[in-house]
């Protein structure tokens, strides 16, 4: 076996694997080769000067996950269920572009001030699932921590992979007004 | 006096170990690939949890990696493509080892996803790193031609 033959075999086998993978993904229309790109990737950042408990984002990144997470597949089964609140922490423009049905719009930048109001349609006993516009869940975790600490919501989870993974999993998207 | 071109005779144990290693390594990779292919979404999520790859690559990797595992495992069992199969599996395993090492260094707690969602959850850590190093050693043994180890031609058909 010459090195040239081995290289050729490696190239051919890689090509075969790519073709089979394409065929395999073709059988899963809900799983496209390239996941849909969210409209805004970096829309939400917490403002550090706002009142409330300070969250050390660096510490969050080092010690993830601070909140339990839920996969898109598991979360799909909870859409429309009683006592479930999806919280979209992206900015309003991204939310209007498409969001999980019945989700509550709570942009991360405004979350600390909005949480000071009593009008948020979240009951203390609700199960809350937060999600952001990027795979990095730090913004969703920040808001989840605020919800847990300020509203005494015990059952707060973060959607793994955020909005991109939700779309990749075939999750429904709506442009209708959400809960807030 | 030893003739210069006399075939080198290695212990019979090693001659048996090469085909056994091929079967074992191929079985491990096939067992790892099938659950991933049956549930690509779960594997895509597992890939995303590593926080290494960009989001647009998750689905493609979720389909490509198990296919590479299957193709390479089949190549390892075929004498004419054994070397390329071993190289492919070795490359995959090295990539897995690098990924595991990065998770250990970053201190992130993620599930392996190595055998899909069908297996019990397994956190990425030192035991997994050790297992992959052993797998790499197994691939090295599996890549050895049986004939060169002193076995007969029939044994080399494995």
């Amino acid at each position: 076996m010459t090195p040239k033959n081995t290289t050729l075999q490696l190239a051919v086998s890689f090509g075969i694997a790519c073709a089979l993978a394409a065929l395999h993904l073709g059988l899963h229309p809900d799983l496209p080769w390239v996941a849909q790109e969210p409209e805004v990737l970096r829309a939400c950042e917490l403002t550090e000067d706002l009142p409330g408990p300070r969250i050390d984002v660096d510490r969050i990144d080092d010690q993830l996950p601070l909140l339990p997470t839920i996969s898109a597949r598991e979360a799909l089964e909870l859409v429309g269920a009683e006592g479930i609140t999806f919280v979209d922490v992206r900015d309003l423009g991204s939310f209007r572009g498409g969001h999980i049905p019945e989700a509550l719009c709570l942009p991360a930048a405004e979350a600390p001030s909005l949480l000071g109001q009593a009008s948020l349609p979240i009951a203390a006993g609700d199960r809350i699932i937060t999600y952001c516009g990027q795979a990095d869940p730090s913004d969703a975790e920040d808001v989840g921590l605020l919800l847990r600490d300020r509203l005494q919501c015990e059952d707060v989870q973060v959607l793994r992979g955020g909005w991109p993974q939700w779309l990749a999993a075939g999750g429904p998207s709506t442009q209708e007004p959400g809960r807030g | 006096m030893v003739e210069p071109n006399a075939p080198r005779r290695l212990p019979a144990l090693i001659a048996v170990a090469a085909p056994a290693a091929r079967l074992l390594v191929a079985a491990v990779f096939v067992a790892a690939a099938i659950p991933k292919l049956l549930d690509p979404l779960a594997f895509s999520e597992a890939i995303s949890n590593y926080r290494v790859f960009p989001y647009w690559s998750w689905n493609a990797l979720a389909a490509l990696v198990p296919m590479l595992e299957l193709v390479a495992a089949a190549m390892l069992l075929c004498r004419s493509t054994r070397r390329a199969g071993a190289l492919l599996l070795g490359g995959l395993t090295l990539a897995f080892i690098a990924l595991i090492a990065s998770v250990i260094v970053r201190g992130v707690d993620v599930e392996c996803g190595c055998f899909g969602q069908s297996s019990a959850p397994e956190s990425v850590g030192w035991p997994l790193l050790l297992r992959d190093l052993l797998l790499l050693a197994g691939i090295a043994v599996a890549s050895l031609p049986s004939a060169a180890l002193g076995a007969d031609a029939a044994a080399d058909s494995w």
Side-chain angles (χ1 to χ4, degrees):
Chain A
M1 183 65 62
T2 65
K4 189 178 177 182
N5 280 342
T6 304
T7 306
L8 183 65
Q9 287 177 356
L10 281 172
V12 170
S13 62
F14 189 77
I16 291 172
C18 284
L20 289 173
L23 190 64
H24 183 58
L25 283 180
L27 298 175
H28 292 269
D30 57 330
L31 206 65
W33 267 101
V34 178
Q36 185 178 341
E37 185 176 3
E39 291 182 9
V40 179
L41 286 177
R42 277 296 195 183
C44 32
E45 295 292 340
L46 276 180
T47 305
E48 301 219 357
D49 295 337
L50 290 170
R54 295 180 71 87
I55 298 172
D56 186 343
V57 176
D58 292 334
R59 191 175 66 88
I60 290 175
D61 287 341
D62 289 344
Q63 299 181 1
L64 286 174
L66 289 176
L67 289 172
T69 61
I70 183 170
S71 69
R73 189 174 53 168
E74 292 169 323
L76 268 170
E77 298 171 4
L78 302 176
V79 174
E82 201 64 33
I84 302 290
T85 301
F86 285 93
V87 176
D88 189 324
V89 309
R90 300 172 299 161
D91 67 0
L92 189 58
S94 302
F95 181 83
R96 284 177 175 157
H99 56 84
I100 296 176
E102 296 296 312
L104 172 69
C105 179
L106 187 59
E110 302 162 30
S113 57
L114 287 172
L115 285 175
Q117 304 172 10
S119 58
L120 284 180
I122 300 177
D126 275 3
R127 180 178 177 185
I128 295 171
I129 299 169
T130 62
Y131 66 93
C132 194
Q134 64 258 357
D136 177 1
S138 56
D139 292 329
E141 284 194 320
D142 291 347
V143 174
L145 288 169
L146 285 172
L147 288 169
R148 190 188 66 182
D149 297 338
R150 299 261 191 102
L151 299 186
Q152 306 299 313
C153 297
E154 296 296 329
D155 195 358
V156 182
Q157 292 175 293
V158 173
L159 183 66
R160 285 203 298 272
W163 183 242
Q165 187 62 36
W166 176 264
L167 293 176
S173 169
T174 181
Q175 294 184 332
E176 294 178 2
R179 292 175 55 174
Chain B
M1 183 176 177
V2 179
E3 294 179 22
N5 293 328
R8 193 172 44 161
R9 296 277 175 183
L10 292 182
L13 180 63
I14 300 179
V16 174
R22 280 196 279 279
L23 281 177
L24 186 64
V25 167
V28 166
F29 276 94
V30 169
I34 288 175
K36 295 173 191 164
L37 289 173
L38 292 178
D39 195 351
L41 179 57
F43 186 45
S44 173
E45 288 177 7
I47 292 171
S48 72
N49 290 338
Y50 280 90
R51 303 179 188 186
V52 170
F53 306 101
Y55 77 91
W56 49 262
S57 67
W58 298 342
N59 293 351
L61 285 172
L64 184 59
V65 169
M67 284 301 180
L68 279 173
E69 289 175 334
L70 273 186
V71 170
M75 291 171 70
L76 187 69
L77 294 177
C78 180
R79 184 170 49 178
S80 60
T81 57
R82 181 180 303 151
R83 188 174 181 177
L87 282 172
L88 202 50
L89 290 178
L92 276 172
T93 309
L94 280 175
F96 296 155
I97 288 171
L99 201 56
I100 293 166
S102 82
V103 168
I104 292 173
V105 167
R106 285 180 291 147
V108 184
D109 182 19
V110 296
E111 287 178 16
C112 167
C114 310
F115 290 88
Q117 295 288 78
S118 61
S119 60
E122 183 181 13
S123 289
V124 174
W126 289 107
L128 191 65
L129 188 69
L130 181 64
R131 193 182 72 186
D132 274 19
L133 287 171
L134 287 174
L135 188 61
L136 193 62
I139 293 168
V141 174
S143 67
L144 297 174
S146 302
L149 294 170
D152 56 20
D156 194 36
S157 64
W158 281 101

